[in-house]
Amino acid sequence: IGLIFVLLILLFVENNHDITGKYIILYRPERAITNIKNTFTKSQVWFIAVLSALLYFTLEYLAENEGRGFLSASGVAEHSAAYIISLGWLGYAFGCPILGYASDRLERRKSILIFGATCGVLAIVGLMLAKESPSLINIAFLLLGVNAAAQTVGFAIMSEQLKPQYIAV
């Protein structure tokens, strides 16, 4: 499967170069510490990074640490808890490309981040109110996955906020 992905990448992914006529515009190399300082002094970059981390953290924390215990306390059987947690990751898997496509199509990245955060709030409220309601718990974990998927839009926002030579930082 990895070899197939490598072949697809080699066939379809292009390098981004600013080309003027026959010349490729190269940037004068800067020290890594200069790139890091220039990147971390922008408040917008910090806001997007923190928001993206918090969007992803909710699903990651429930999946890795407290999800089974939380669901068991809500009356869910232990074998069902693992299935429900995997629904969150399924919401993430489908949400990433859908939200990315929507943000590109609508050209409204902020709206997608707000939508993802709203899904997270609805998911947490749903989990608090869901006492022994399997369908509501399932929907809440799917929404939690969509919430976490919204963090991928943060990568696109970062690439638009920073100069090309700083994006890797």
Side-chain angles (χ1 to χ4, degrees):
I1 293 173
L3 289 174
I4 292 170
F5 282 134
V6 168
L7 290 173
L8 289 172
I9 289 169
L10 288 173
L11 290 173
F12 296 107
V13 176
E14 298 178 17
N15 287 330
N16 287 337
H17 292 289
D18 294 331
I19 299 175
T20 306
K22 294 181 181 178
Y23 302 102
I24 296 176
I25 299 171
L26 297 175
Y27 297 100
R28 186 172 162 246
E30 294 177 350
R31 292 179 44 190
I33 194 72
T34 305
N35 287 344
I36 292 170
K37 283 181 184 176
N38 288 336
T39 302
F40 289 120
T41 57
K42 299 180 185 315
S43 62
Q44 187 76 13
V45 170
W46 277 102
F47 178 73
I48 296 164
V50 169
L51 177 65
S52 296
L54 291 174
L55 288 172
Y56 183 74
F57 179 75
T58 53
L59 178 63
E60 179 67 27
Y61 184 74
L62 280 176
E64 296 293 329
N65 298 323
E66 300 297 328
R68 288 191 329 185
F70 175 78
L71 290 171
S72 294
S74 296
V76 175
E78 184 126 349
H79 65 279
S80 296
Y83 165 77
I84 292 170
I85 291 170
S86 67
L87 284 176
W89 290 111
L90 185 67
Y92 179 77
F94 283 108
C96 285
I98 291 170
L99 293 181
Y101 177 77
S103 78
D104 286 345
R105 187 85 166 146
L106 298 172
E107 297 177 1
R108 306 283 303 189
R109 306 222 191 272
K110 182 179 174 182
S111 301
I112 300 300
L113 287 175
I114 292 170
F115 172 76
T118 303
C119 286
V121 169
L122 291 174
I124 297 300
V125 169
L127 286 172
M128 296 298 160
L129 300 176
K131 297 288 181 196
E132 300 180 26
S133 172
S135 28
L136 187 56
I137 292 173
N138 291 343
I139 291 169
F141 263 86
L142 278 170
L143 284 175
L144 202 58
V146 173
N147 163 69
Q151 63 86 26
T152 58
V153 176
F155 292 110
I157 295 172
M158 289 290 199
S159 70
E160 293 167 354
Q161 294 289 320
L162 299 172
K163 293 180 182 178
Q165 64 265 35
Y166 301 138
I167 291 176
V169 175

